[in-house]
């Protein structure tokens, strides 16, 4: 019997292979190279990616045997989740793997900007000894704005608390009470832009967040504002940022992420008041190990036909151990219903009774639907696309 094929499309920690174990044929490809990726996806049952591989509708269509896309990291903006769901492909990520590393890099950028570390370093290496030119500022008693108070933004707030700065935050999904818990005063975007000495961004890239900081926001910012983006390129409009930095409308920017990565020929790279790193937020030994192990485990579960706790496009949450044994039963019941029906089925009702009814039994519904449709349609039916 041939082993399932796991395609590794980006550099991952060696711990990933260890956690995958011997049950798979592991193949490697450079996911950023479309002409190599698309043919390599043809036989893949699972693909492991980071941020450089675009699993868009075209790539998913090129992978007829694909059961799972595993993102060894957090951001899923390079995965077309809708297309994956339609094709019955599970999408998983490693939602907590690199959050500490991301938070720490943002702090490094803040400190780097406050004390001119990269420029001072380069200058000394070039033979100069300039001290006054690299006079910096303290974080103490400055106002630091945090945009996005999710996992990473919260870690940033907790760490910045030690600097004695005033923390303000913008996050429409967070309550005042939650913000207070982490020592942050919630404000609107206008206050965020007007009051901050530093801003650091920790939100995903979505149609709503793309370009949310642009010309109008920079207009009301302090001329000394130092803004850090270690989340996703394009949340700060790059053209507007270039203009704001070039005209000294704001002080400086620290960027780990870009609209195009690498940001070849970007005018931003020509500026002096900028600190850049090549998307290193998650690039630590610890984060990579955690991400690799986490997605390897998810891939094992997914290819064994099990549900995966970190799946992002499967309904239902954690499965109670008393519900689990019902999964294959529900699937068979679904098949049975399909086989017994003499006319076409227009609606189905599922009912769970007894002790298991006290738990979330969404998974049983999914299993029954999967069983039901398996015998009726030619497409691959999975927990992912059965409800669809
Ligand atoms: C993420 O979304 O997890 C980070 O941006 C890391 O991306 P990377 O795995 O490509 O380093």
């Amino acid at each position: 019997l041939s082993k399932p094929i796991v395609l590794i499309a980006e550099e991952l920690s060696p711990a990933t292979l260890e956690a995958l174990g011997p049950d798979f044929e592991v193949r490697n490809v450079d996911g950023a190279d479309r002409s190599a990726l698309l043919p390599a996806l043809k036989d893949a049952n699972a693909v492991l990616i980071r941020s450089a591989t675009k699993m868009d509708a075209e790539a998913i269509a090129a992978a007829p045997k694909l059961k799972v896309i595993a993102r060894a990291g957090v951001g899923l903006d390079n995965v077309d989740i809708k297309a994956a769901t339609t094709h019955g492909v599970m999408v998983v990520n490693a939602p907590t793997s690199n959050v500490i590393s991301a938070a720490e890099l943002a702090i490094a950028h803040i400190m780097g900007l406050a004390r001119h570390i990269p420029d001072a370093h380069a200058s000394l290496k070039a033979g100069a000894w300039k001290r006054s030119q690299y006079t910096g500022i303290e974080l103490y008693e400055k106002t630091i704005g945090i945009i996005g108070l999710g996992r990473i933004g919260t870690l940033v707030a907790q760490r910045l608390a030690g600097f004695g700065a005033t923390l303000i935050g913008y996050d429409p999904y967070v309550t005042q009470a939650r913000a207070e818990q982490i020592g942050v005063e919630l404000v609107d975007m206008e206050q965020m832009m007007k009051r901050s000495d530093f801003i650091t961004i920790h939100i995903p890239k979505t149609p709503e967040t793309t370009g949310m900081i642009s010309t109008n926001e920079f207009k009301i910012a302090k001329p000394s504002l130092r803004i850090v983006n270690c989340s996703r390129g394009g949340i700060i409009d790059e053209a507007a940022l270039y203009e704001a930095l070039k005209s000294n409308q704001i002080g400086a920017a620290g960027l780990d992420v870009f609209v195009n990565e690498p940001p070849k020929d970007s005018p931003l790279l020509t500026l002096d008041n900028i600190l850049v790193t090549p998307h290193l937020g998650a690039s630590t030994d610890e984060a990579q190990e955690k991400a690799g192990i986490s997605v390897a485990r998810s891939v094992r579960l997914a290819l064994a036909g099990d549900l995966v706790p970190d799946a992002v496009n499967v309904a239902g949450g954690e499965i109670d151990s008393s519900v689990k044994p019902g999964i294959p039963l529900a699937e068979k019941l679904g098949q049975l219903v399909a086989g017994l029906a003499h006319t076409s089925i227009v609606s189905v009702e599922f009912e769970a009774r007894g002790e298991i009814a006290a738990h979330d039994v969404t998974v049983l519904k999914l299993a029954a639907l999967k069983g039901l449709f398996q015998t009726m349609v030619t497409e691959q039916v999975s927990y992912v696309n059965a409800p669809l």
Side-chain angles (χ1 to χ4, degrees), residues 10 49-52 71-77 97-98 230-232 257 279-283 288:
E10 290 185 56
I49 59 166
R50 286 175 63 183
S51 59
R71 175 18 171 154
V74 178
L76 283 164
D77 46 305
S97 56
N98 58 32
C230 294
S231 60
R232 274 297 175 275
V257 287
H279 201 151
L280 293 181
S283 294
Q288 285 309 306

Side-chain angles (χ1 to χ4, degrees), residues 123-384:
S123 153
L124 178 51
K125 291 267 277 193
W129 182 259
K130 293 178 184 160
R131 298 180 67 218
S132 59
Q133 190 174 332
Y134 297 119
T135 302
I137 57 164
E138 292 180 344
L139 300 195
Y140 181 66
E141 292 187 341
K142 295 295 183 302
T143 298
I144 307 183
I146 305 172
I147 298 181
L149 295 170
R151 288 193 179 100
I152 299 170
T154 299
L155 291 171
V156 168
Q158 287 164 343
R159 281 150 182 76
L160 285 176
F163 284 96
T166 300
L167 302 182
I168 60 175
Y170 172 76
D171 190 327
Y173 301 103
V174 161
T175 61
Q176 186 69 53
R178 168 69 191 140
E180 273 166 22
Q181 251 176 14
I182 52 171
V184 175
E185 175 196 343
L186 273 189
V187 297
D188 59 17
M189 270 305 284
E190 195 183 329
Q191 287 296 311
M192 169 65 57
M193 295 310 303
K194 278 188 176 155
R195 284 172 58 188
S196 297
D197 298 300
F198 291 84
I199 287 178
T200 179
I201 303 171
H202 302 286
I203 52 178
K205 188 173 184 179
T206 66
E208 291 84 53
T209 63
T210 301
M212 73 179 269
I213 298 179
S214 192
T215 315
N216 287 338
E217 284 68 35
F218 291 132
K219 257 188 213 149
I220 55 172
K222 289 186 185 174
S224 59
L225 171 68
R226 290 155 167 92
I227 190 162
V228 167
N229 187 7
C230 294
S231 60
R232 274 297 175 275
I235 290 172
I236 306 178
D237 182 276
E238 286 187 351
L241 178 64
Y242 174 79
E243 286 308 322
L245 289 168
K246 178 109 189 137
S247 62
N248 295 317
Q249 191 171 37
I250 63 166
L255 302 176
D256 186 47
V257 287
F258 303 86
V259 172
N260 296 312
E261 293 181 0
K264 218 172 142 268
D265 304 326
S266 168
L268 285 169
L269 302 180
T270 64
L271 296 167
D272 288 333
N273 46 354
I274 200 155
L275 188 174
V276 288
T277 46
H279 201 151
L280 293 181
S283 294
T284 62
D285 292 343
E286 295 86 349
Q288 285 309 306
E289 194 175 308
K290 279 186 255 182
I293 293 172
S294 159
V295 289
R297 282 191 188 137
S298 294
V299 163
R300 290 188 68 91
L301 287 174
L303 293 184
D306 280 330
L307 279 163
V308 183
D310 285 335
V312 298
N313 59 346
V314 180
E318 216 169 293
I319 308 159
D320 191 84
S321 59
S322 64
V323 173
K324 249 187 194 159
I327 297 174
L329 173 66
E331 187 168 332
K332 291 210 170 66
L333 285 173
Q335 283 172 353
L336 201 64
V337 167
L340 289 174
H342 292 301
T343 56
S344 58
I345 298 170
V346 285
S347 75
V348 195
E349 257 176 56
F350 302 93
E351 219 176 282
R353 293 198 195 178
E355 280 171 29
I356 57 162
H359 301 285
D360 182 348
V361 292
T362 311
V363 64
L364 298 184
K365 186 167 100 176
L366 293 178
L369 277 177
K370 181 169 172 254
L372 184 83
F373 285 118
Q374 237 156 34
T375 52
M376 298 206 269
V377 299
T378 48
E379 291 90 352
Q380 150 175 292
V381 182
S382 71
Y383 295 110
V384 177

